[in-house]
Amino acid sequence: MPVEVNAGLAGLSDTLILATVLLYVFAMIGYALELGFGRVTARAAAEPARELVTVGGGAPVAAETGGGDGARPVPAWASKAGLVAVVLSWLGWAANLGSILTRGLAVDRWPWGNMYEFVVAICFAAMTVFLFMQLRYTVRFLGAFVSLTATLGLGFAVRYLHIQAGPVVPALNSYWIAIHVSAAIIASGLFIMSGVSGVLYLIRGEGPSRLPSRADLEAVAHRAIVISFPIWTFAVIAGALWADKAWGRYWGWDPKEVWAFITWIAYAAYLHARATAGWRGKKAMIVQLVAFGCLLFNLVGVNMFLGGLHSYAGLPG
Amino acid sequence: MTRTHDPRATAEPAPEAASEAGSEAASEAGSEAGSGPGGGRDRPAGLGPVGWLRWFWRTLTSMRTALILLFLFALASVPGSIYPQRGVDPGAVAQYFKDNPGYAEWLDRFWLFDVFQAPWFAAIYLLLFVSLIGCVVPRLGVYARELRRRPPAAPRNLARLPQHAAFTAEGGATVEDLAAALRRRRFRVATGPGWVSAEKGYLRESGNLIFHIALLGMLVAVGLGSLYGYRGNVLIVEGNGFANTVAAYDRYMPGTRVSAESLAPFSFQVEDFQANYVLAGQQRGQVLDFLARLKVTDRPGAKPYEYTLKVNEPLEVDGTQTYLIGHGYAPSFTVLDGQGQVAYQGPVPCLAENINTFASECTIKVPDAKPEQLGLSVRFLPTTVPLQDGTLVSAFPAALQPTAQVRAFAGDLGLSSGIPQSVYLFDTEKLKKMKPLVMKADPLEVGQSIDLPGGAGKVTFTGVKEWISLQIAYDPGRVPALIAAVLAIAGLLLSLTIRRRRIWVRVQEPDKDGSTVVQVGGLTRTEGGAAGFAEEFADIVKALGATSAGVKDAR
Ligand code: HEM
């Protein structure tokens, strides 16, 4: 068991995380400029619904172009700002990755043994999901909100959760941390994508707006959840396997377990809601956000308020 | 998304959903299940008990009820994370009762300290699982029929489908070639005069069914564990042994169907325990590693072997797991009584009052001391350092500079009162009722002793041992639960990643010049799958074109 902490690397990790925050902030500004001065999205609801409306309404054209607003040309610098933002967020992403790696190397273990490391890793996961998703799909409109979330998360971690790099308690010193916690981090990163989309969905309402269309937001949210739900399920099961090794039972209703379960049930409820008449659309989105709230509470709230066996979390002071 | 958006609503009036005797959720695909109205749609007005029963069953097994029960299930678990639970931490519950007796009593009335054993909690999950059975069983039937059924005939107007295309094959195209091309892409294919109908993605529904059945399996596995499993805790001082019998446990919690004879007859000796700590820095004193060396005998008469027990590495003997869950100090003492006889000798387990420094407290009862019984209250410090004001504290959890500060009392220990007493937690209130002999004394180092006043005897601090606490558990549901979990994940992956889709092809009569127009239509029956399906559809149309000679003007 290594006790040595490489102070140089640990310091580098702390510096890199500050660089990450700065880069994400600038990226966020870039995305916001593109969004603010870019095109107004006219597509209020899903296309077929609009078809129905236009047949009866007799004023189809106005809805199509979003009124006089859409006629204004998009300034070229706006989309350039978006591109710069993408580059900045890739740089921030690299610094984020560097910070995680150097911290791991400094202590010679998986770098998610306490709250600080865990939150940093989740912000990284969310950014990773976004950056790779925007390579394939048109989701750049989410950039401002994802980088805002990552910035807030990292800021919170640096300000309130930071503790010196060091070894972990024996219960965490297991290969299961690689399996269970990594899965939870990846799933959480994806859930952040869907959560951000869900919040925007509710904010934007039905009408024309600078924000992306509801159908697009719903598609992003659904896609992210469909991928992350099995990963989250796996994370919970891997956690049970680990608990079976470490504590002598695979499930003991420890507060962290209770909330992982609640989160899981809530996302399952979302999947059901999408298959239930009268629950699609807005209601399903609200269910999704409730589930996301449970996820966040489990990540942060349980460690701070409820304790339990998982309270290794290593909060400072 | 509105219901009118559902392509199936136009392409196919979901015949199964309408005709199926079961609930709407019993229909083949979940999303179709939802497109009907809610569960209470045909509430029988004055239909008699059978009608009501039917209505109740339909409502229970509807998607909407499942959704509500899922919410309730989640909601019902919340108090289990807020209030301390007896099954998790009985000490915390006792403390809660001490702190707010009146409030605690009310909470207890509603089972809020045993949420996961509460009848109302059981009611929710049992309803949910009954609903699940009511949902899965009819769907199994539908699914089995569907597996045997041919894909449905092509609709008349393929251009009305969400995906459609047409091309002209100058050299003509045959239904057989087109069908073969679809078969090569692993579609299930049916043909008729001038049309091909193909379907793929049946594994999606299999996945969904496997997932939901696996959830039932999980429930059964958990039940199995609570009926036929047991768990217990025991505290053992270095050098002592344990044999797996009910009497050997300090706390023993059997399942309702466990008999004392069914305990696996293994035993072990705790040879040695070691804990390593961080020596410096912000995390100084944090434990790095525990290990206990055991000598294990699997069954009486078997050859003993060495096993190193660590956190995350339990000992397993015949399916029974032994876990290292805690540790502490057990300083050893020899007590001579007023008549010079050895009235007590050996280690006494102390409870740490501060897990960072392991400053610990313990009590020693010496009922055999003469002329009066003796009670000792000991404060043990593993690494003793004086503060500026002279008080002594422990600065580190390892036993670097161990001392024991003894307070002694004489009188009646009250052991014969009939009230059961914990071996490790002697009520210090009792000591206060006795006559104090020594209240303030210099701490003893190992080997030192203290004479009790009035010739009442002598206490010697003879050494330091450590104790470990173990949890021993047997749960026959572990492996079934794991299998169910793996199946659940596999089913979930199938169900969430596979798209159910249908392709229809119509080949028109050849023109005078022998060229034919081929129309292709496609439909995905999976919600949210439309985006990816467009690509696949384009691909399929291309492949179909390639089977026909001289394609031009693919539209
Ligand atoms: C312990 C309770 C339950 C849990 C955790 C659960 C979980 C899930 C999950 C995660 C899915 C999405 C993955 C998939 O399509 O397989 C799903 C789908 C589905 N569940 Fe459940 N379920 C539960 C109970 C029920 C019950 C009681 C019913 C019937 C009333 C039901 C009917 C369905 C249906 C029809 C689908 C398919 C939805 C679709 O195709 O989009 N489930 N369930």
Side-chain angles (χ1 to χ4, degrees):
Chain A
M1 181 64 212
V3 191
E4 300 293 302
V5 175
N6 185 326
L9 281 176
L12 178 59
S13 168
D14 291 350
T15 313
L16 279 172
I17 208 69
L18 294 179
T20 311
V21 173
L22 280 180
L23 285 164
Y24 284 171
V25 168
F26 288 128
M28 177 180 72
I29 296 172
Y31 288 122
L33 286 176
E34 183 189 37
L35 202 62
F37 294 93
R39 204 191 329 265
V40 171
T41 328
R43 286 187 299 156
E47 283 92 316
R50 190 186 56 213
E51 270 166 31
L52 282 179
V53 173
T54 51
V55 169
V61 196
E64 193 68 48
T65 58
D69 219 26
R72 206 188 55 200
V74 179
W77 60 267
S79 52
K80 226 172 249 155
L83 265 176
V84 171
V86 172
V87 172
L88 285 174
S89 32
W90 275 112
L91 288 176
W93 180 84
N96 203 342
L97 177 65
S99 168
I100 293 173
L101 288 179
T102 45
R103 182 135 175 142
L105 290 172
V107 287
D108 197 15
R109 60 169 170 78
W110 285 84
W112 26 82
N114 53 50
M115 271 286 275
Y116 168 74
E117 294 169 356
F118 191 62
V119 172
V120 168
I122 285 178
C123 293
F124 174 72
M127 211 58 186
T128 310
V129 170
F130 167 70
L131 284 172
F132 280 89
M133 215 163 166
Q134 60 94 33
L135 289 181
R136 268 205 66 186
Y137 307 101
T138 48
V139 293
R140 207 156 89 195
F141 52 72
L142 283 177
F145 308 97
V146 176
S147 21
L148 175 67
T149 312
T151 308
L152 290 178
L154 290 179
F156 176 70
V158 170
R159 177 70 188 78
Y160 296 105
L161 303 175
H162 184 265
I163 63 173
Q164 265 175 31
V168 290
V169 297
L172 288 183
N173 187 16
S174 157
Y175 59 89
W176 280 106
I177 197 170
I179 302 170
H180 166 65
V181 185
S182 308
I185 288 171
I186 295 168
S188 305
L190 283 155
F191 282 139
I192 286 179
M193 274 299 268
S194 55
V196 168
S197 311
V199 171
L200 287 180
Y201 180 99
L202 292 188
I203 289 177
R204 107 180 271 298
E206 291 283 356
S209 158
R210 294 196 179 280
L211 294 175
S213 78
R214 278 198 154 179
D216 286 346
L217 290 169
E218 194 171 32
V220 172
H222 183 248
R223 186 168 293 140
I225 291 174
V226 161
I227 301 169
S228 50
F229 186 77
I231 301 177
W232 181 253
T233 313
F234 173 77
V236 173
I237 291 170
L241 286 167
W242 188 5
D244 184 57
K245 279 265 174 267
W247 298 325
R249 82 288 185 296
Y250 57 86
W251 196 264
W253 298 109
D254 182 72
K256 198 86 177 180
E257 292 169 357
V258 173
W259 280 92
F261 172 77
I262 292 174
T263 308
W264 186 76
I265 290 283
Y267 276 110
Y270 163 76
L271 292 174
H272 279 209
R274 280 189 58 104
T276 307
W279 277 81
R280 293 178 200 169
K282 190 168 170 191
K283 276 195 200 163
M285 213 44 131
I286 291 173
V287 174
Q288 189 257 114
L289 285 177
V290 170
F292 185 59
C294 296
L295 181 85
L296 289 185
F297 182 74
N298 198 21
L299 296 185
V300 183
V302 170
N303 295 353
M304 293 189 162
F305 309 124
L306 299 179
L309 285 171
H310 280 82
S311 54
Y312 55 77
L315 293 172
Chain B
M1 225 174 268
T2 54
R3 218 186 314 150
T4 38
H5 176 45
D6 193 343
R8 288 162 305 246
T10 43
E12 210 187 26
E16 297 91 346
S19 65
E20 190 53 42
S23 67
E24 62 199 63
S27 77
E28 47 176 19
S31 21
E32 272 169 37
S35 45
R41 67 184 141 168
D42 34 23
R43 184 190 314 244
L47 250 190
V50 178
W52 277 104
L53 225 64
R54 274 178 83 106
W55 171 80
F56 175 74
W57 181 247
R58 273 189 198 191
T59 307
L60 182 63
T61 56
S62 79
M63 252 339 236
R64 181 163 303 178
T65 311
L67 195 57
I68 292 168
L69 286 172
L70 276 172
F71 275 127
L72 281 179
F73 198 19
L75 206 62
S77 339
V78 173
S81 73
I82 294 173
Y83 300 108
Q85 298 293 299
R86 283 205 179 86
V88 177
D89 191 350
V93 178
Q95 188 62 39
Y96 203 101
F97 266 89
K98 219 183 241 169
D99 296 344
N100 334 281
Y103 188 44
E105 203 171 298
W106 270 102
L107 292 178
D108 207 23
R109 260 177 219 154
F110 295 106
W111 297 71
L112 288 171
F113 298 116
D114 303 277
V115 167
F116 304 103
Q117 285 79 40
W120 49 265
F121 190 76
I124 293 171
Y125 71 74
L126 288 179
L127 270 179
L128 184 58
F129 278 92
V130 170
S131 168
L132 188 55
I133 293 169
C135 188
V136 161
V137 170
R139 273 170 61 201
L140 270 178
V142 172
Y143 182 61
R145 250 172 291 144
E146 188 160 291
L147 276 184
R148 274 177 274 120
R149 206 183 52 194
R150 287 154 29 106
R156 203 165 306 122
N157 187 358
L158 293 186
R160 274 182 54 203
L161 291 173
Q163 298 290 335
H164 54 87
F167 57 84
T168 311
E170 289 198 322
T174 63
V175 164
E176 286 68 37
D177 289 345
L178 294 168
L182 284 167
R183 266 192 211 102
R184 267 197 302 280
R185 296 182 82 98
R186 299 157 124 265
F187 273 89
R188 174 177 301 192
V189 174
T191 54
W195 58 264
V196 184
S197 157
E199 182 158 11
K200 189 173 169 174
Y202 292 82
L203 274 180
R204 176 189 154 80
E205 181 69 0
S206 331
N208 187 300
L209 290 171
I210 290 171
F211 171 77
H212 284 90
I213 293 170
L215 292 183
L216 286 172
M218 195 96 77
L219 186 72
V220 171
V222 171
L224 209 64
S226 67
L227 286 180
Y228 296 98
Y230 65 86
R231 69 180 59 240
N233 298 94
V234 59
L235 182 157
I236 304 169
V237 178
E238 278 174 309
N240 291 355
F242 169 83
N244 190 25
T245 55
V246 171
Y249 284 98
D250 299 327
R251 178 166 170 236
Y252 174 67
M253 294 161 281
T256 37
R257 296 294 184 87
V258 177
S259 69
E261 294 82 61
S262 56
L263 272 59
F266 65 92
S267 61
F268 53 79
Q269 183 90 12
V270 180
E271 310 263 280
D272 177 34
F273 172 78
Q274 281 171 12
N276 294 311
Y277 301 94
V278 179
L279 291 172
Q282 204 180 21
Q283 276 136 320
R284 181 181 139 88
Q286 179 189 303
V287 70
L288 285 172
D289 206 8
F290 309 121
L291 52 96
R293 261 182 265 288
L294 307 183
K295 184 166 268 174
V296 186
T297 313
D298 276 355
R299 57 189 65 76
K303 204 163 140 255
Y305 59 92
E306 300 274 342
Y307 186 85
T308 307
L309 189 65
K310 293 187 191 170
V311 178
N312 283 318
E313 289 174 33
L315 163 73
E316 167 154 3
V317 179
D318 294 336
T320 306
Q321 253 69 16
T322 301
Y323 300 85
L324 179 59
I325 56 172
H327 69 113
Y329 285 101
S332 309
F333 295 91
T334 301
V335 180
L336 300 182
D337 66 10
Q339 301 171 348
Q341 302 292 321
V342 175
Y344 179 93
Q345 187 168 36
V348 54
C350 298
L351 291 182
E353 53 182 31
N354 180 334
I355 57 155
N356 296 318
T357 65
F358 266 86
S360 311
E361 298 275 356
C362 33
T363 45
I364 304 175
K365 291 161 279 182
V366 194
D368 299 334
K370 305 235 165 47
E372 276 187 295
Q373 293 187 325
L374 292 175
L376 306 177
S377 161
V378 178
R379 183 170 165 76
F380 175 79
L381 304 175
T383 299
T384 315
V385 291
L387 290 183
Q388 246 150 19
D389 64 358
T391 48
L392 295 175
V393 293
S394 176
F396 197 72
L400 303 178
Q401 180 63 42
T403 60
Q405 207 165 3
V406 176
R407 291 189 301 159
F409 302 82
D412 181 13
L413 283 167
L415 292 182
S416 50
S417 65
I419 300 166
Q421 300 190 9
S422 160
V423 192
Y424 310 111
L425 283 174
F426 185 66
D427 194 354
T428 39
E429 294 297 313
K430 281 229 171 73
L431 288 180
K432 288 192 188 123
K433 293 199 189 105
M434 295 165 67
K435 180 176 65 183
L437 291 179
V438 179
M439 291 314 289
K440 200 162 175 7
D442 286 340
L444 302 177
E445 288 177 21
V446 175
Q448 293 181 332
S449 44
I450 181 170
D451 285 315
L452 302 181
K458 178 176 170 185
V459 178
T460 312
F461 179 24
T462 53
V464 179
K465 289 189 168 184
E466 287 181 81
W467 55 260
I468 56 175
S469 61
L470 301 174
Q471 164 146 300
I472 297 172
Y474 170 68
D475 183 351
R478 287 165 77 232
V479 176
L482 179 60
I483 294 171
V486 170
L487 284 177
I489 292 251
L492 197 58
L493 282 174
L494 289 180
S495 142
L496 288 177
T497 57
I498 290 185
R499 223 176 293 133
R500 184 86 179 266
R501 57 260 196 225
R502 284 180 181 166
I503 300 281
W504 287 283
V505 186
R506 272 194 185 282
V507 188
Q508 279 166 11
E509 289 296 312
D511 278 354
K512 298 182 273 314
D513 60 356
S515 70
T516 48
V517 174
V518 179
Q519 278 192 308
V520 190
L523 173 65
T524 176
R525 311 210 307 160
T526 302
E527 182 138 0
F533 181 60
E535 278 170 39
E536 187 188 3
F537 183 77
D539 229 34
I540 290 172
V541 172
K542 224 199 253 149
L544 290 177
T547 62
S548 330
V551 172
K552 72 160 203 227
D553 123 46
R555 267 172 279 162

